[in-house]
Amino acid sequence: MENQTERNLGPQPLETILAELELKSHDLVVASKEALTHKMVARGCKGRRLTKNIQLKLRNALNLAAGKTYRIGDLFNYS
């Protein structure tokens, strides 16, 4: 049990960025050109540890929705 990776890491910078840009999770799902769900966005904001693939999908969708360029490290504090 001691070697388990912590999965819940608290609110992530992604949540703050979405609030600053006045974007909702639905905006990311609509902007995404990849298979992205509302559940993936919610987990990313809450701090649930995501795979690199889902992190990339979230980053790509945010970049499209915001018209800016963000890095994975800008969105998650555990990458």
Side-chain angles (χ1 to χ4, degrees):
M1 287 288 200
E2 293 178 24
N3 292 338
Q4 286 187 344
T5 303
E6 179 63 34
R7 293 178 192 244
N8 294 312
L9 302 162
Q12 296 296 303
L14 171 62
E15 187 174 41
T16 306
I17 291 169
L18 289 176
E20 289 172 356
L21 296 173
E22 298 180 0
L23 292 173
K24 305 285 184 201
S25 61
H26 184 71
D27 298 322
L28 295 187
V29 173
V30 170
S32 180
K33 295 182 180 183
E34 304 166 283
L36 184 67
T37 66
H38 291 89
K39 191 172 188 176
M40 290 175 187
V41 178
R43 286 181 172 183
C45 290
K46 290 180 183 176
R48 183 79 173 167
R49 190 175 296 274
L50 303 174
T51 64
K52 188 59 83 177
N53 187 39
I54 295 175
Q55 290 177 5
L56 291 171
K57 287 180 182 186
L58 286 170
R59 187 218 42 207
N60 294 342
L62 179 61
N63 287 344
L64 288 171
K68 298 181 180 181
T69 303
Y70 291 98
R71 297 176 296 121
I72 295 287
D74 298 333
L75 309 180
F76 305 102
N77 59 19
Y78 61 87
S79 314

